[in-house]
Amino acid sequence: MSTALLFAALIATFLTVAIAGLLAGLAAMGVSAIAAGLVVTKNADHVSIIERVWERIMWAKTKATKRNVYRSGPLAATGWGRTQAPGVAAPLRLSEHVDSLGRPFALIYSPPGGLHTLVIETEPDGAALVDDEQIDQWVGSWGWWLSHLAGEPGLVGASVTVETAPDTGGRLGREVAANISGDAPQFARQVLADTVENYPAGSSVVRAYLALTFVSSTKKADRVGRELASRLPELTGTLASTGAGVAAPLDAARLCEVIRTAYDPAVASLIDEARMAGDHVPLEFSDVGPTAAEASWDSYRHDDATSRTWVMTGAPHGLISARGLEKAPRPSARHRAQARHFDV
């Protein structure tokens, strides 16, 4: 847009000189100089004055037309009575396939761009009590894994989301209940019960999600799923050397739970309670969105949570070590997710 405005100003100046004369041309040149200053002058984030003004104008238009407000559900004005994901996620379609190891994996299809995305879930080992040599090896393996993605046919994008959230304790309770012996002494049972009740307090869970986006000439999800089924085991298997822990693709049910929890973190405890009771969570992809959402200038409120995004507009000039972003994904008292994107 900035380049187009500069060309328009130059053309207007030449036309003014040719039609109205030199004085009018000088006046037009002065106006063009001011316009050029608005275009050329940029802040620390490399955004010009005219771009910031235009962004404010478009935001004011969006707010005036109430396009920043979303309501869904049975009583909403949408008409279909579902809590569908809003915005660019509305036209997405979900399908499930099985890879060559027999693991089900979900595939998200975006009709506008003809893109297919699969998500891999990992639980990173963490750098606590780990030697620097091992950390260097992890970083080197991670760099190799990213460079290896460039050779994947049809891959157009990759992103990593590191999620930190308070632990609900559901996983610990399920693990203890599944392994406790029926002949265990009462004292041992009481110790385990106290651990399940008190240990999750103040603890956290850290997960990482890797989204790989592919472009295909066909719109048929079954065909794309068959093509990715043979390649997925290698992608997940090579992640073990990067410190990502055990990596596995998300199936459709688990992906729906992750998206719904991102919109409303309070749902995480309900899902864990249902799993502890042995119940299945009947969550469909058309119901993973928020019941209410509202975008503000600096935040996005959805259900019982608020999201904010910080974007790095320029790489640091100094040396970045392996622990440079160690403090960024640290858990807090609130559910928090952080995303780091890599373009391939």
Side-chain angles (χ1 to χ4, degrees), residues 11-296:
I11 293 174
T13 301
F14 288 133
L15 290 178
T16 304
V17 173
I19 297 174
L22 182 60
L23 292 179
L26 292 176
M29 185 179 296
V31 174
S32 300
I34 296 175
L38 296 177
V39 173
V40 174
T41 304
K42 298 183 179 182
N43 58 9
D45 297 322
H46 310 289
V47 181
S48 65
I49 298 176
I50 194 66
E51 289 174 334
R52 282 178 283 170
V53 172
W54 179 255
E55 188 176 2
R56 285 287 184 177
I57 293 174
M58 296 304 297
W59 166 248
K61 181 181 178 181
T62 300
K63 192 174 181 180
T65 55
K66 299 293 184 179
R67 298 185 64 181
N68 63 317
V69 179
Y70 177 77
R71 298 292 184 269
S72 63
L75 302 180
T78 52
W80 50 80
R82 310 299 290 268
T83 54
Q84 186 178 2
V88 296
L92 299 182
R93 301 294 181 264
L94 182 67
S95 60
E96 189 174 70
H97 313 271
V98 180
D99 67 0
S100 57
L101 296 181
R103 301 175 301 181
F105 67 94
L107 197 62
I108 302 175
Y109 172 58
S110 175
L115 303 176
H116 302 265
T117 301
L118 62 87
V119 183
I120 301 173
E121 181 181 19
T122 70
E123 294 190 10
D125 299 328
L129 303 178
V130 178
D131 296 335
D132 291 338
E133 291 79 5
Q134 180 63 58
I135 295 177
D136 293 339
Q137 183 178 354
W138 284 347
V139 174
S141 299
W142 173 243
W144 174 88
W145 194 85
L146 288 178
S147 63
H148 179 70
L149 292 181
E152 284 292 326
L155 184 68
V156 295
S159 68
V160 180
T161 302
V162 180
E163 180 189 47
T164 58
D167 194 353
T168 61
R171 294 191 307 165
L172 178 60
R174 292 195 303 271
E175 189 71 19
V176 171
N179 292 279
I180 192 170
S181 174
D183 300 331
Q186 182 61 31
F187 176 74
R189 289 175 173 271
Q190 187 62 39
V191 170
L192 289 176
D194 293 342
T195 302
V196 171
E197 181 180 358
N198 299 320
Y199 180 79
S203 61
S204 62
V205 59
V206 180
R207 298 186 183 94
Y209 303 98
L210 293 89
L212 304 179
T213 301
F214 299 84
V215 63
S216 177
S217 58
T218 178
K219 297 181 180 180
K220 297 181 179 180
D222 292 339
R223 181 176 176 181
V224 178
R226 288 194 299 268
E227 293 177 356
L228 297 178
S230 59
R231 296 154 57 183
L232 189 54
E234 182 183 359
L235 291 172
T236 56
T238 52
L239 276 173
S241 61
T242 66
V246 179
L250 288 180
D251 57 20
R254 176 60 183 150
L255 181 61
C256 290
E257 293 176 0
V258 171
I259 298 175
R260 185 68 189 99
T261 303
Y263 279 114
D264 189 1
V267 176
S269 59
L270 301 177
I271 293 176
D272 282 344
E273 291 175 3
R275 287 180 175 176
M276 290 183 64
D279 298 333
H280 171 68
V281 181
L283 191 60
E284 299 180 2
F285 192 66
S286 57
D287 292 321
V288 299
T291 56
E294 183 173 353
S296 301

Side-chain angles (χ1 to χ4, degrees), residues 313-327:
T313 57
H317 298 290
L319 178 65
I320 303 299
S321 65
R323 300 181 182 272
L325 297 176
E326 185 178 12
K327 296 182 179 180

